[in-house]
PDB file of all heavy atoms in Angstrom:
ATOM      1  N   ASN P   1     323.586  46.862  71.990  1.00  0.00           N
ATOM      2  CA  ASN P   1     324.882  47.639  72.018  1.00  0.00           C
ATOM      3  C   ASN P   1     324.606  48.921  71.312  1.00  0.00           C
ATOM      4  O   ASN P   1     324.743  49.053  70.125  1.00  0.00           O
ATOM      5  CB  ASN P   1     326.008  46.885  71.345  1.00  0.00           C
ATOM      6  CG  ASN P   1     327.329  47.558  71.479  1.00  0.00           C
ATOM      7  OD1 ASN P   1     327.362  48.774  71.657  1.00  0.00           O
ATOM      8  ND2 ASN P   1     328.383  46.868  71.300  1.00  0.00           N
ATOM      9  N   TRP P   2     324.186  49.955  72.154  1.00  0.00           N
ATOM     10  CA  TRP P   2     323.774  51.244  71.596  1.00  0.00           C
ATOM     11  C   TRP P   2     324.882  51.967  70.823  1.00  0.00           C
ATOM     12  O   TRP P   2     324.648  52.801  69.910  1.00  0.00           O
ATOM     13  CB  TRP P   2     323.110  52.095  72.669  1.00  0.00           C
ATOM     14  CG  TRP P   2     321.737  51.705  72.801  1.00  0.00           C
ATOM     15  CD1 TRP P   2     321.208  50.960  73.894  1.00  0.00           C
ATOM     16  CD2 TRP P   2     320.582  52.113  71.986  1.00  0.00           C
ATOM     17  NE1 TRP P   2     319.852  50.777  73.702  1.00  0.00           N
ATOM     18  CE2 TRP P   2     319.469  51.497  72.585  1.00  0.00           C
ATOM     19  CE3 TRP P   2     320.497  52.751  70.873  1.00  0.00           C
ATOM     20  CZ2 TRP P   2     318.181  51.519  71.965  1.00  0.00           C
ATOM     21  CZ3 TRP P   2     319.260  52.877  70.186  1.00  0.00           C
ATOM     22  CH2 TRP P   2     318.107  52.245  70.867  1.00  0.00           C
ATOM     23  N   ASN P   3     326.176  51.870  71.393  1.00  0.00           N
ATOM     24  CA  ASN P   3     327.333  52.457  70.662  1.00  0.00           C
ATOM     25  C   ASN P   3     327.418  52.033  69.245  1.00  0.00           C
ATOM     26  O   ASN P   3     327.610  52.814  68.327  1.00  0.00           O
ATOM     27  CB  ASN P   3     328.586  52.246  71.477  1.00  0.00           C
ATOM     28  CG  ASN P   3     328.570  52.932  72.781  1.00  0.00           C
ATOM     29  OD1 ASN P   3     327.984  54.088  72.940  1.00  0.00           O
ATOM     30  ND2 ASN P   3     329.310  52.476  73.780  1.00  0.00           N
ATOM     31  N   ALA P   4     327.309  50.685  69.055  1.00  0.00           N
ATOM     32  CA  ALA P   4     327.440  50.148  67.719  1.00  0.00           C
ATOM     33  C   ALA P   4     326.232  50.581  66.825  1.00  0.00           C
ATOM     34  O   ALA P   4     326.398  50.845  65.696  1.00  0.00           O
ATOM     35  CB  ALA P   4     327.583  48.615  67.844  1.00  0.00           C
ATOM     36  N   LEU P   5     325.056  50.434  67.410  1.00  0.00           N
ATOM     37  CA  LEU P   5     323.856  50.827  66.607  1.00  0.00           C
ATOM     38  C   LEU P   5     323.890  52.326  66.257  1.00  0.00           C
ATOM     39  O   LEU P   5     323.506  52.660  65.110  1.00  0.00           O
ATOM     40  CB  LEU P   5     322.630  50.469  67.424  1.00  0.00           C
ATOM     41  CG  LEU P   5     321.290  50.846  66.812  1.00  0.00           C
ATOM     42  CD1 LEU P   5     321.189  50.126  65.425  1.00  0.00           C
ATOM     43  CD2 LEU P   5     320.121  50.391  67.634  1.00  0.00           C
ATOM     44  N   ASN P   6     324.204  53.163  67.179  1.00  0.00           N
ATOM     45  CA  ASN P   6     324.217  54.576  66.924  1.00  0.00           C
ATOM     46  C   ASN P   6     325.284  54.967  65.787  1.00  0.00           C
ATOM     47  O   ASN P   6     325.061  55.782  64.927  1.00  0.00           O
ATOM     48  CB  ASN P   6     324.478  55.370  68.119  1.00  0.00           C
ATOM     49  CG  ASN P   6     323.322  55.494  69.034  1.00  0.00           C
ATOM     50  OD1 ASN P   6     322.211  55.387  68.628  1.00  0.00           O
ATOM     51  ND2 ASN P   6     323.595  55.559  70.341  1.00  0.00           N
ATOM     52  N   ASP P   7     326.421  54.274  65.894  1.00  0.00           N
ATOM     53  CA  ASP P   7     327.431  54.441  64.866  1.00  0.00           C
ATOM     54  C   ASP P   7     326.910  54.036  63.548  1.00  0.00           C
ATOM     55  O   ASP P   7     327.141  54.757  62.496  1.00  0.00           O
ATOM     56  CB  ASP P   7     328.693  53.619  65.242  1.00  0.00           C
ATOM     57  CG  ASP P   7     329.489  54.245  66.358  1.00  0.00           C
ATOM     58  OD1 ASP P   7     329.216  55.418  66.716  1.00  0.00           O
ATOM     59  OD2 ASP P   7     330.373  53.505  66.915  1.00  0.00           O
ATOM     60  N   ALA P   8     326.233  52.904  63.427  1.00  0.00           N
ATOM     61  CA  ALA P   8     325.755  52.440  62.087  1.00  0.00           C
ATOM     62  C   ALA P   8     324.579  53.405  61.576  1.00  0.00           C
ATOM     63  O   ALA P   8     324.610  53.664  60.419  1.00  0.00           O
ATOM     64  CB  ALA P   8     325.085  51.071  62.276  1.00  0.00           C
ATOM     65  N   LEU P   9     323.784  53.931  62.482  1.00  0.00           N
ATOM     66  CA  LEU P   9     322.727  54.840  62.037  1.00  0.00           C
ATOM     67  C   LEU P   9     323.324  56.151  61.556  1.00  0.00           C
ATOM     68  O   LEU P   9     322.800  56.692  60.596  1.00  0.00           O
ATOM     69  CB  LEU P   9     321.771  55.110  63.286  1.00  0.00           C
ATOM     70  CG  LEU P   9     320.933  53.846  63.680  1.00  0.00           C
ATOM     71  CD1 LEU P   9     320.188  54.242  64.962  1.00  0.00           C
ATOM     72  CD2 LEU P   9     319.882  53.489  62.627  1.00  0.00           C
ATOM     73  N   GLU P  10     324.389  56.563  62.202  1.00  0.00           N
ATOM     74  CA  GLU P  10     324.988  57.818  61.788  1.00  0.00           C
ATOM     75  C   GLU P  10     325.742  57.599  60.397  1.00  0.00           C
ATOM     76  O   GLU P  10     325.673  58.539  59.600  1.00  0.00           O
ATOM     77  CB  GLU P  10     326.146  58.239  62.921  1.00  0.00           C
ATOM     78  CG  GLU P  10     326.721  59.558  62.626  1.00  0.00           C
ATOM     79  CD  GLU P  10     327.623  60.017  63.754  1.00  0.00           C
ATOM     80  OE1 GLU P  10     327.690  59.311  64.817  1.00  0.00           O
ATOM     81  OE2 GLU P  10     328.312  61.027  63.590  1.00  0.00           O
ATOM     82  N   ARG P  11     326.357  56.503  60.188  1.00  0.00           N
ATOM     83  CA  ARG P  11     327.046  56.264  58.934  1.00  0.00           C
ATOM     84  C   ARG P  11     326.032  56.198  57.785  1.00  0.00           C
ATOM     85  O   ARG P  11     326.316  56.637  56.680  1.00  0.00           O
ATOM     86  CB  ARG P  11     327.713  54.865  58.945  1.00  0.00           C
ATOM     87  CG  ARG P  11     329.064  54.881  59.749  1.00  0.00           C
ATOM     88  CD  ARG P  11     329.839  53.616  59.423  1.00  0.00           C
ATOM     89  NE  ARG P  11     329.094  52.385  59.603  1.00  0.00           N
ATOM     90  CZ  ARG P  11     329.041  51.647  60.774  1.00  0.00           C
ATOM     91  NH1 ARG P  11     329.672  52.185  61.854  1.00  0.00           N
ATOM     92  NH2 ARG P  11     328.360  50.605  60.858  1.00  0.00           N
ATOM     93  N   THR P  12     324.878  55.634  58.051  1.00  0.00           N
ATOM     94  CA  THR P  12     323.825  55.576  56.991  1.00  0.00           C
ATOM     95  C   THR P  12     322.906  56.787  56.927  1.00  0.00           C
ATOM     96  O   THR P  12     322.016  56.823  56.006  1.00  0.00           O
ATOM     97  CB  THR P  12     323.028  54.258  57.137  1.00  0.00           C
ATOM     98  OG1 THR P  12     322.440  54.296  58.464  1.00  0.00           O
ATOM     99  CG2 THR P  12     323.921  53.064  57.058  1.00  0.00           C
ATOM    100  N   GLY P  13     322.990  57.622  57.902  1.00  0.00           N
ATOM    101  CA  GLY P  13     322.143  58.822  57.912  1.00  0.00           C
ATOM    102  C   GLY P  13     320.621  58.456  58.193  1.00  0.00           C
ATOM    103  O   GLY P  13     319.820  59.107  57.707  1.00  0.00           O
ATOM    104  N   LYS P  14     320.482  57.388  58.944  1.00  0.00           N
ATOM    105  CA  LYS P  14     319.090  56.861  59.203  1.00  0.00           C
ATOM    106  C   LYS P  14     318.608  57.140  60.598  1.00  0.00           C
ATOM    107  O   LYS P  14     317.641  56.526  61.084  1.00  0.00           O
ATOM    108  CB  LYS P  14     319.066  55.414  58.871  1.00  0.00           C
ATOM    109  CG  LYS P  14     319.361  55.026  57.414  1.00  0.00           C
ATOM    110  CD  LYS P  14     318.316  55.417  56.541  1.00  0.00           C
ATOM    111  CE  LYS P  14     318.541  55.097  55.076  1.00  0.00           C
ATOM    112  NZ  LYS P  14     318.421  53.655  54.912  1.00  0.00           N
ATOM    113  N   GLU P  15     319.200  58.143  61.320  1.00  0.00           N
ATOM    114  CA  GLU P  15     318.768  58.353  62.695  1.00  0.00           C
ATOM    115  C   GLU P  15     317.283  58.737  62.761  1.00  0.00           C
ATOM    116  O   GLU P  15     316.544  58.223  63.660  1.00  0.00           O
ATOM    117  CB  GLU P  15     319.593  59.501  63.324  1.00  0.00           C
ATOM    118  CG  GLU P  15     321.078  59.150  63.489  1.00  0.00           C
ATOM    119  CD  GLU P  15     321.875  59.806  62.378  1.00  0.00           C
ATOM    120  OE1 GLU P  15     321.268  59.973  61.220  1.00  0.00           O
ATOM    121  OE2 GLU P  15     323.042  60.114  62.674  1.00  0.00           O
ATOM    122  N   GLN P  16     316.857  59.672  61.950  1.00  0.00           N
ATOM    123  CA  GLN P  16     315.431  60.057  61.973  1.00  0.00           C
ATOM    124  C   GLN P  16     314.490  58.939  61.650  1.00  0.00           C
ATOM    125  O   GLN P  16     313.394  58.784  62.297  1.00  0.00           O
ATOM    126  CB  GLN P  16     315.206  61.204  61.024  1.00  0.00           C
ATOM    127  CG  GLN P  16     315.853  62.508  61.385  1.00  0.00           C
ATOM    128  CD  GLN P  16     315.368  63.056  62.724  1.00  0.00           C
ATOM    129  OE1 GLN P  16     314.133  62.891  63.033  1.00  0.00           O
ATOM    130  NE2 GLN P  16     316.173  63.713  63.505  1.00  0.00           N
ATOM    131  N   GLU P  17     314.884  58.110  60.624  1.00  0.00           N
ATOM    132  CA  GLU P  17     314.032  56.984  60.235  1.00  0.00           C
ATOM    133  C   GLU P  17     313.942  56.038  61.407  1.00  0.00           C
ATOM    134  O   GLU P  17     312.832  55.516  61.664  1.00  0.00           O
ATOM    135  CB  GLU P  17     314.584  56.358  59.035  1.00  0.00           C
ATOM    136  CG  GLU P  17     313.723  55.142  58.523  1.00  0.00           C
ATOM    137  CD  GLU P  17     314.204  54.530  57.301  1.00  0.00           C
ATOM    138  OE1 GLU P  17     315.271  55.007  56.723  1.00  0.00           O
ATOM    139  OE2 GLU P  17     313.660  53.439  56.855  1.00  0.00           O
ATOM    140  N   PHE P  18     315.061  55.784  62.122  1.00  0.00           N
ATOM    141  CA  PHE P  18     314.954  54.882  63.277  1.00  0.00           C
ATOM    142  C   PHE P  18     314.140  55.403  64.354  1.00  0.00           C
ATOM    143  O   PHE P  18     313.351  54.707  65.034  1.00  0.00           O
ATOM    144  CB  PHE P  18     316.418  54.589  63.720  1.00  0.00           C
ATOM    145  CG  PHE P  18     316.436  53.615  64.937  1.00  0.00           C
ATOM    146  CD1 PHE P  18     316.069  52.218  64.729  1.00  0.00           C
ATOM    147  CD2 PHE P  18     316.751  54.015  66.170  1.00  0.00           C
ATOM    148  CE1 PHE P  18     316.160  51.360  65.814  1.00  0.00           C
ATOM    149  CE2 PHE P  18     316.817  53.131  67.177  1.00  0.00           C
ATOM    150  CZ  PHE P  18     316.446  51.810  66.981  1.00  0.00           C
ATOM    151  N   ARG P  19     314.096  56.722  64.534  1.00  0.00           N
ATOM    152  CA  ARG P  19     313.328  57.313  65.586  1.00  0.00           C
ATOM    153  C   ARG P  19     311.843  57.124  65.307  1.00  0.00           C
ATOM    154  O   ARG P  19     310.982  56.928  66.190  1.00  0.00           O
ATOM    155  CB  ARG P  19     313.585  58.813  65.795  1.00  0.00           C
ATOM    156  CG  ARG P  19     314.918  59.110  66.384  1.00  0.00           C
ATOM    157  CD  ARG P  19     315.120  60.595  66.752  1.00  0.00           C
ATOM    158  NE  ARG P  19     316.391  60.970  67.199  1.00  0.00           N
ATOM    159  CZ  ARG P  19     317.380  61.458  66.432  1.00  0.00           C
ATOM    160  NH1 ARG P  19     317.044  61.794  65.187  1.00  0.00           N
ATOM    161  NH2 ARG P  19     318.539  61.744  66.954  1.00  0.00           N
ATOM    162  N   ARG P  20     311.468  57.148  64.019  1.00  0.00           N
ATOM    163  CA  ARG P  20     310.116  56.945  63.589  1.00  0.00           C
ATOM    164  C   ARG P  20     309.700  55.497  63.934  1.00  0.00           C
ATOM    165  O   ARG P  20     308.538  55.242  64.287  1.00  0.00           O
ATOM    166  CB  ARG P  20     309.968  57.254  62.119  1.00  0.00           C
ATOM    167  CG  ARG P  20     309.996  58.819  61.787  1.00  0.00           C
ATOM    168  CD  ARG P  20     309.431  59.121  60.387  1.00  0.00           C
ATOM    169  NE  ARG P  20     310.283  58.530  59.373  1.00  0.00           N
ATOM    170  CZ  ARG P  20     311.301  59.145  58.900  1.00  0.00           C
ATOM    171  NH1 ARG P  20     311.586  60.352  59.270  1.00  0.00           N
ATOM    172  NH2 ARG P  20     312.006  58.568  57.884  1.00  0.00           N
ATOM    173  N   LYS P  21     310.638  54.551  63.698  1.00  0.00           N
ATOM    174  CA  LYS P  21     310.286  53.191  63.966  1.00  0.00           C
ATOM    175  C   LYS P  21     310.180  52.922  65.501  1.00  0.00           C
ATOM    176  O   LYS P  21     309.314  52.140  65.855  1.00  0.00           O
ATOM    177  CB  LYS P  21     311.440  52.292  63.449  1.00  0.00           C
ATOM    178  CG  LYS P  21     311.735  52.455  61.868  1.00  0.00           C
ATOM    179  CD  LYS P  21     310.454  52.169  61.054  1.00  0.00           C
ATOM    180  CE  LYS P  21     310.773  52.284  59.619  1.00  0.00           C
ATOM    181  NZ  LYS P  21     309.553  52.069  58.769  1.00  0.00           N
ATOM    182  N   VAL P  22     311.000  53.576  66.233  1.00  0.00           N
ATOM    183  CA  VAL P  22     310.834  53.457  67.703  1.00  0.00           C
ATOM    184  C   VAL P  22     309.474  54.014  68.131  1.00  0.00           C
ATOM    185  O   VAL P  22     308.806  53.449  69.008  1.00  0.00           O
ATOM    186  CB  VAL P  22     312.033  54.303  68.417  1.00  0.00           C
ATOM    187  CG1 VAL P  22     311.772  54.326  69.953  1.00  0.00           C
ATOM    188  CG2 VAL P  22     313.287  53.563  68.147  1.00  0.00           C
ATOM    189  N   ALA P  23     309.054  55.118  67.479  1.00  0.00           N
ATOM    190  CA  ALA P  23     307.754  55.722  67.804  1.00  0.00           C
ATOM    191  C   ALA P  23     306.656  54.725  67.463  1.00  0.00           C
ATOM    192  O   ALA P  23     305.684  54.595  68.187  1.00  0.00           O
ATOM    193  CB  ALA P  23     307.503  56.962  67.043  1.00  0.00           C
ATOM    194  N   ASN P  24     306.746  54.035  66.342  1.00  0.00           N
ATOM    195  CA  ASN P  24     305.789  52.962  65.981  1.00  0.00           C
ATOM    196  C   ASN P  24     305.697  51.911  67.013  1.00  0.00           C
ATOM    197  O   ASN P  24     304.573  51.443  67.343  1.00  0.00           O
ATOM    198  CB  ASN P  24     306.088  52.446  64.538  1.00  0.00           C
ATOM    199  CG  ASN P  24     305.945  53.410  63.454  1.00  0.00           C
ATOM    200  OD1 ASN P  24     305.223  54.395  63.601  1.00  0.00           O
ATOM    201  ND2 ASN P  24     306.601  53.219  62.338  1.00  0.00           N
ATOM    202  N   SER P  25     306.889  51.509  67.445  1.00  0.00           N
ATOM    203  CA  SER P  25     306.856  50.390  68.453  1.00  0.00           C
ATOM    204  C   SER P  25     306.230  50.884  69.786  1.00  0.00           C
ATOM    205  O   SER P  25     305.704  50.118  70.532  1.00  0.00           O
ATOM    206  CB  SER P  25     308.351  49.903  68.678  1.00  0.00           C
ATOM    207  OG  SER P  25     309.138  50.872  69.395  1.00  0.00           O
ATOM    208  N   SER P  26     306.411  52.204  70.013  1.00  0.00           N
ATOM    209  CA  SER P  26     305.805  52.773  71.273  1.00  0.00           C
ATOM    210  C   SER P  26     304.279  52.607  71.243  1.00  0.00           C
ATOM    211  O   SER P  26     303.698  52.266  72.290  1.00  0.00           O
ATOM    212  CB  SER P  26     306.181  54.264  71.365  1.00  0.00           C
ATOM    213  OG  SER P  26     307.459  54.530  71.654  1.00  0.00           O
ATOM    214  N   TYR P  27     303.688  52.734  70.152  1.00  0.00           N
ATOM    215  CA  TYR P  27     302.245  52.511  69.978  1.00  0.00           C
ATOM    216  C   TYR P  27     301.890  51.121  70.326  1.00  0.00           C
ATOM    217  O   TYR P  27     300.801  50.855  71.010  1.00  0.00           O
ATOM    218  CB  TYR P  27     301.766  52.889  68.599  1.00  0.00           C
ATOM    219  CG  TYR P  27     301.792  54.384  68.290  1.00  0.00           C
ATOM    220  CD1 TYR P  27     302.647  54.832  67.187  1.00  0.00           C
ATOM    221  CD2 TYR P  27     301.377  55.384  69.069  1.00  0.00           C
ATOM    222  CE1 TYR P  27     302.804  56.115  66.850  1.00  0.00           C
ATOM    223  CE2 TYR P  27     301.432  56.755  68.823  1.00  0.00           C
ATOM    224  CZ  TYR P  27     302.218  57.062  67.640  1.00  0.00           C
ATOM    225  OH  TYR P  27     302.354  58.440  67.376  1.00  0.00           O
ATOM    226  N   ILE P  28     302.695  50.184  69.909  1.00  0.00           N
ATOM    227  CA  ILE P  28     302.391  48.790  70.220  1.00  0.00           C
ATOM    228  C   ILE P  28     302.600  48.457  71.704  1.00  0.00           C
ATOM    229  O   ILE P  28     301.676  47.818  72.241  1.00  0.00           O
ATOM    230  CB  ILE P  28     303.298  47.831  69.370  1.00  0.00           C
ATOM    231  CG1 ILE P  28     303.176  48.095  67.849  1.00  0.00           C
ATOM    232  CG2 ILE P  28     303.091  46.377  69.723  1.00  0.00           C
ATOM    233  CD1 ILE P  28     304.239  47.275  67.005  1.00  0.00           C
ATOM    234  N   VAL P  29     303.673  49.012  72.228  1.00  0.00           N
ATOM    235  CA  VAL P  29     303.907  48.766  73.666  1.00  0.00           C
ATOM    236  C   VAL P  29     302.879  49.456  74.525  1.00  0.00           C
ATOM    237  O   VAL P  29     302.256  48.846  75.437  1.00  0.00           O
ATOM    238  CB  VAL P  29     305.264  49.305  74.048  1.00  0.00           C
ATOM    239  CG1 VAL P  29     305.473  49.281  75.594  1.00  0.00           C
ATOM    240  CG2 VAL P  29     306.344  48.501  73.345  1.00  0.00           C
ATOM    241  N   ALA P  30     302.482  50.697  74.209  1.00  0.00           N
ATOM    242  CA  ALA P  30     301.407  51.442  74.903  1.00  0.00           C
ATOM    243  C   ALA P  30     300.090  50.616  74.782  1.00  0.00           C
ATOM    244  O   ALA P  30     299.353  50.465  75.773  1.00  0.00           O
ATOM    245  CB  ALA P  30     301.236  52.755  74.365  1.00  0.00           C
ATOM    246  N   THR P  31     299.760  50.072  73.664  1.00  0.00           N
ATOM    247  CA  THR P  31     298.588  49.246  73.423  1.00  0.00           C
ATOM    248  C   THR P  31     298.622  48.043  74.458  1.00  0.00           C
ATOM    249  O   THR P  31     297.509  47.700  74.983  1.00  0.00           O
ATOM    250  CB  THR P  31     298.481  48.759  72.026  1.00  0.00           C
ATOM    251  OG1 THR P  31     298.402  49.872  71.109  1.00  0.00           O
ATOM    252  CG2 THR P  31     297.266  47.888  71.782  1.00  0.00           C
ATOM    253  N   SER P  32     299.748  47.481  74.606  1.00  0.00           N
ATOM    254  CA  SER P  32     299.821  46.308  75.525  1.00  0.00           C
ATOM    255  C   SER P  32     299.430  46.697  76.927  1.00  0.00           C
ATOM    256  O   SER P  32     298.724  45.922  77.640  1.00  0.00           O
ATOM    257  CB  SER P  32     301.263  45.665  75.497  1.00  0.00           C
ATOM    258  OG  SER P  32     302.164  46.456  76.210  1.00  0.00           O
ATOM    259  N   PHE P  33     299.834  47.881  77.403  1.00  0.00           N
ATOM    260  CA  PHE P  33     299.486  48.321  78.695  1.00  0.00           C
ATOM    261  C   PHE P  33     298.012  48.788  78.788  1.00  0.00           C
ATOM    262  O   PHE P  33     297.389  48.559  79.829  1.00  0.00           O
ATOM    263  CB  PHE P  33     300.407  49.479  79.135  1.00  0.00           C
ATOM    264  CG  PHE P  33     301.769  49.006  79.454  1.00  0.00           C
ATOM    265  CD1 PHE P  33     302.944  49.287  78.664  1.00  0.00           C
ATOM    266  CD2 PHE P  33     302.022  48.345  80.685  1.00  0.00           C
ATOM    267  CE1 PHE P  33     304.135  48.835  78.950  1.00  0.00           C
ATOM    268  CE2 PHE P  33     303.311  47.922  80.961  1.00  0.00           C
ATOM    269  CZ  PHE P  33     304.396  48.181  80.110  1.00  0.00           C
ATOM    270  N   PHE P  34     297.520  49.347  77.803  1.00  0.00           N
ATOM    271  CA  PHE P  34     296.075  49.708  77.768  1.00  0.00           C
ATOM    272  C   PHE P  34     295.178  48.401  77.765  1.00  0.00           C
ATOM    273  O   PHE P  34     294.070  48.360  78.407  1.00  0.00           O
ATOM    274  CB  PHE P  34     295.697  50.558  76.571  1.00  0.00           C
ATOM    275  CG  PHE P  34     296.410  51.877  76.650  1.00  0.00           C
ATOM    276  CD1 PHE P  34     296.888  52.551  75.484  1.00  0.00           C
ATOM    277  CD2 PHE P  34     296.514  52.571  77.845  1.00  0.00           C
ATOM    278  CE1 PHE P  34     297.562  53.777  75.534  1.00  0.00           C
ATOM    279  CE2 PHE P  34     297.100  53.845  77.982  1.00  0.00           C
ATOM    280  CZ  PHE P  34     297.640  54.415  76.815  1.00  0.00           C
ATOM    281  N   VAL P  35     295.560  47.397  76.996  1.00  0.00           N
ATOM    282  CA  VAL P  35     294.910  46.068  77.050  1.00  0.00           C
ATOM    283  C   VAL P  35     294.943  45.509  78.437  1.00  0.00           C
ATOM    284  O   VAL P  35     293.902  45.008  79.009  1.00  0.00           O
ATOM    285  CB  VAL P  35     295.495  45.135  75.989  1.00  0.00           C
ATOM    286  CG1 VAL P  35     294.988  43.717  76.239  1.00  0.00           C
ATOM    287  CG2 VAL P  35     295.217  45.595  74.629  1.00  0.00           C
ATOM    288  N   SER P  36     296.136  45.599  79.049  1.00  0.00           N
ATOM    289  CA  SER P  36     296.263  45.084  80.465  1.00  0.00           C
ATOM    290  C   SER P  36     295.342  45.875  81.407  1.00  0.00           C
ATOM    291  O   SER P  36     294.830  45.235  82.284  1.00  0.00           O
ATOM    292  CB  SER P  36     297.733  45.202  80.867  1.00  0.00           C
ATOM    293  OG  SER P  36     297.977  44.771  82.180  1.00  0.00           O
TER     294      SER P  36
END
């Protein structure tokens, strides 16, 4: 539920931190495709 998650990130001021975590997960996902 992106509306709820975005509201929570905005309240806590953690939008940038969450973007960094999404970037970290991107490396894991990309690795899965390179392995494939």
Side-chain angles (χ1 to χ4, degrees):
N1 183 336
W2 278 101
N3 290 330
L5 179 56
N6 287 331
D7 287 345
L9 292 172
E10 187 176 352
R11 285 196 305 270
T12 57
K14 297 293 183 68
E15 296 99 329
Q16 290 297 327
E17 183 177 351
F18 181 69
R19 289 192 187 98
R20 289 195 294 271
K21 302 304 181 182
V22 171
N24 290 340
S25 70
S26 294
Y27 294 122
I28 301 174
V29 172
T31 298
S32 75
F33 285 107
F34 293 140
V35 168
S36 176

